[in-house]
Amino acid sequence: MESSSRQTTGAPPESISRRRWFVFGVVVALNFGVWLDEAKVSQLAPFWSDSLALTPAQVSGVLSAYLLGYAPMLAIAGVLADRFGSKIMLLTCGFGVTVLSVSMVFVRTYNEMWWRNLAFGFVFGLLLAPTFRILATWFPSHERTKVTSLTTGACAGISSMVTPLIALPIANHASWQLAFIVVAVFTVPPLILLFWISDEPRRMRGISAGEIALIEGGEAAAARPLGRVGFREVVSLLRNRGVILFGISGLLISPIWLSLNWLSFGLINLDKVNPDVVAVVLPAITVIPVAFSFLNSLVLQRVFGGRARMWIAVGFLLGGIAFLIAALVPMGWVPWALLLGGGVMVANLIYFGTMNAYWAELAGPRFTGTLSGITSCLQVVAGMFLVKRSGSWFDENATGHAELATTMAVGGGIMLVAIVPVMLSKEVRVKRTAAVEPLRETFVERA
């Protein structure tokens, strides 16, 4: 399955094997399946909460339990991926998510639902950082923003489109437990294909010398494997002011969880929209961030000249404005859903679609698992707190989705504040084209 390293000097362009795109396809398929499993939890909240007779506070408790398990595993998975490779982390994630989704047939009480969601958070936390790490390892600088946007943005977005089309009709006309089982099947094929890929390009069977040179930046890089990341290197990295400042942005992207967890609930439970209608409307709205995932890299390069920090700050501005309009302006449920499912989701895509390239340029691909994992962990920790608290922010004097006005206002304010640490962090430029050149010193080595 894996072969030894090989030389990459003087490889002609026609020798590029494009194995990286097979790896990309497998990683995308796994992300799609796992994100389907994640999306159905919140989108089916109106059904399982009604079946279990849960109050809004209990619903927020269940949703935040998932974040309680998810948060620490993001950082742990990042460190483990940098230390031992992404493949084993992704295999564990896919298998665990599938088993836990099927286990929903046994859930009968609030406590069982809470513990199940906690366990789901643990295994789901093994997805993001290893995915970031394997993409940074397998793709050259000029392709990282594109592949990351499509993997984390398009997969999450398309899963949000597909999940209601599959899960809501099944839950509405059969049972929500059956919906969980059907969606879980999508994770199985990529789990099998994962055995055919490798963590590092030079260990992949059938890869050409030309493709290794393209990915790793030339013969100097080819003679230098990524290797394991040591504890001292991580400590040195985390003491740097630039890393700390941008890392704070992970805390402040957390309002995305308010949109993800309350959008479907607001439409079905508060606005009393027919679930079959929501099953069509939500996918239609999600077309906006999904379409933008194909443009994120282009806008970064053409409009912002590869300046990742500036583009991420614009994303926070967009998300903050969308939240505040949804909170403060009276409107029907369609434009309200459009702001939360469209505007806020585009802001989220800009952040996570660009963050991996930012860390790879700042510190080098070896550290993307750790940095992306810690940043994502901070986001989920803050999101867990927000989701848990938001169950008590309902305005009972209002009607429909207006009951969530305070929740949306808090989300908007936090995202606008995030612009400050992002603009104070170090700017990097993501390369526009391929370059076969010696690998530069990493951020840690310079420190």
Side-chain angles (χ1 to χ4, degrees):
M1 186 177 302
E2 297 179 349
S3 60
S4 60
S5 341
R6 61 211 73 185
Q7 297 296 318
T8 65
T9 58
E14 58 267 21
S15 70
I16 296 178
S17 54
R18 301 186 183 279
R19 287 297 176 119
R20 68 192 187 281
W21 296 110
F22 172 72
V23 174
F24 174 68
V26 174
V27 173
V28 164
L30 180 69
N31 270 259
F32 176 70
V34 174
W35 277 106
L36 280 179
D37 280 302
E38 188 275 340
K40 70 183 182 301
V41 177
S42 59
Q43 293 189 4
L44 292 177
F47 295 94
W48 53 257
S49 63
D50 182 64
S51 174
L52 301 178
L54 305 184
T55 65
Q58 287 177 315
V59 173
S60 64
V62 169
L63 296 175
S64 62
Y66 145 66
L67 299 179
L68 181 64
Y70 185 46
M73 290 308 299
L74 284 167
I76 294 171
V79 173
L80 292 177
D82 284 346
R83 182 76 175 168
F84 302 110
S86 299
K87 183 176 174 179
I88 185 64
M89 299 294 105
L90 295 176
L91 283 167
T92 305
C93 171
F95 180 77
V97 163
T98 303
V99 170
L100 284 169
S101 292
V102 174
S103 73
M104 272 297 211
V105 298
F106 304 109
V107 172
R108 294 290 182 272
T109 67
Y110 166 74
N111 286 334
E112 292 172 352
M113 187 68 174
W114 192 93
W115 284 105
R116 181 268 170 199
N117 252 26
L118 178 69
F120 183 88
F122 282 131
V123 294
F124 182 57
L126 299 175
L127 178 71
L128 198 60
T131 293
F132 282 141
R133 211 272 183 174
I134 204 167
L135 292 177
T137 302
W138 268 92
F139 287 87
S141 173
H142 72 287
E143 292 177 339
R144 285 181 192 134
T145 305
K146 176 174 67 176
V147 296
T148 305
S149 297
L150 293 176
T151 304
T152 60
C155 283
I158 294 175
S159 68
S160 296
M161 294 169 58
V162 174
T163 301
L165 290 173
I166 299 173
L168 286 180
I170 295 175
N172 198 33
H173 300 288
S175 73
W176 59 269
Q177 292 92 339
L178 178 61
F180 271 83
I181 295 175
V182 171
V183 173
V185 173
F186 286 83
T187 312
V188 177
L191 267 177
I192 298 172
L193 292 175
L194 267 175
F195 289 97
W196 273 265
I197 72 173
S198 177
D199 285 305
E200 295 188 26
R202 285 184 289 133
R203 296 175 62 84
M204 180 79 170
R205 173 179 290 176
I207 194 169
S208 66
E211 185 166 20
I212 295 173
L214 173 67
I215 294 169
E216 297 185 344
E219 59 182 270
R224 176 182 173 187
L226 291 176
R228 294 183 175 182
V229 173
F231 177 73
R232 290 183 180 179
E233 291 180 290
V234 173
V235 172
S236 176
L237 185 72
L238 298 180
R239 285 195 305 225
N240 188 275
R241 178 178 176 272
V243 171
I244 293 172
L245 279 171
F246 190 79
I248 292 173
S249 67
L251 287 170
L252 303 177
I253 192 66
S254 55
I256 186 64
W257 293 103
L258 297 177
S259 175
L260 289 172
N261 286 297
W262 292 117
L263 178 55
S264 179
F265 186 91
L267 293 176
I268 296 175
N269 290 52
L270 302 181
D271 284 322
K272 308 301 181 184
V273 181
N274 189 299
D276 290 337
V277 175
V278 175
V280 176
V281 172
L282 285 185
I285 291 174
T286 308
V287 168
I288 298 172
V290 169
F292 193 82
S293 67
F294 293 89
L295 302 174
N296 185 48
S297 180
L298 182 65
V299 175
L300 171 64
Q301 296 294 347
R302 297 289 179 83
V303 180
F304 292 88
R307 292 187 291 272
R309 179 195 64 177
M310 182 66 70
W311 181 219
I312 289 172
V314 170
F316 274 112
L317 177 64
L318 174 64
I321 291 174
F323 262 126
L324 291 178
I325 294 175
L328 303 176
V329 179
M331 63 185 73
W333 64 267
V334 173
W336 183 78
L338 195 62
L339 284 166
L340 298 183
V344 173
M345 289 301 110
V346 166
N348 184 62
L349 187 147
I350 291 172
Y351 182 80
F352 282 101
T354 310
M355 179 187 71
N356 198 34
Y358 180 91
W359 284 133
E361 289 297 317
L362 186 68
R366 294 178 67 226
F367 300 96
T368 51
T370 296
L371 291 173
S372 298
I374 291 174
T375 308
S376 302
C377 174
L378 293 174
Q379 179 235 18
V380 176
V381 168
M384 177 181 63
F385 172 80
L386 288 176
V387 171
K388 179 66 174 177
R389 295 288 299 169
S390 65
S392 62
W393 292 344
F394 279 61
D395 183 359
E396 296 181 357
N397 295 321
T399 58
H401 62 257
E403 291 189 45
L404 294 168
T406 299
T407 300
M408 300 301 109
V410 169
I414 292 174
M415 294 194 81
L416 293 180
V417 169
I419 297 173
V420 177
V422 170
M423 293 304 295
L424 290 175
S425 60
K426 181 180 176 63
E427 182 63 278
V428 301
R429 284 180 180 262
V430 178
K431 296 182 181 68
R432 181 178 299 193
T433 57
V436 180
E437 60 187 12
L439 190 68
R440 58 175 169 72
E441 291 181 319
T442 67
F443 189 77
V444 171
E445 290 167 341
R446 290 197 302 270

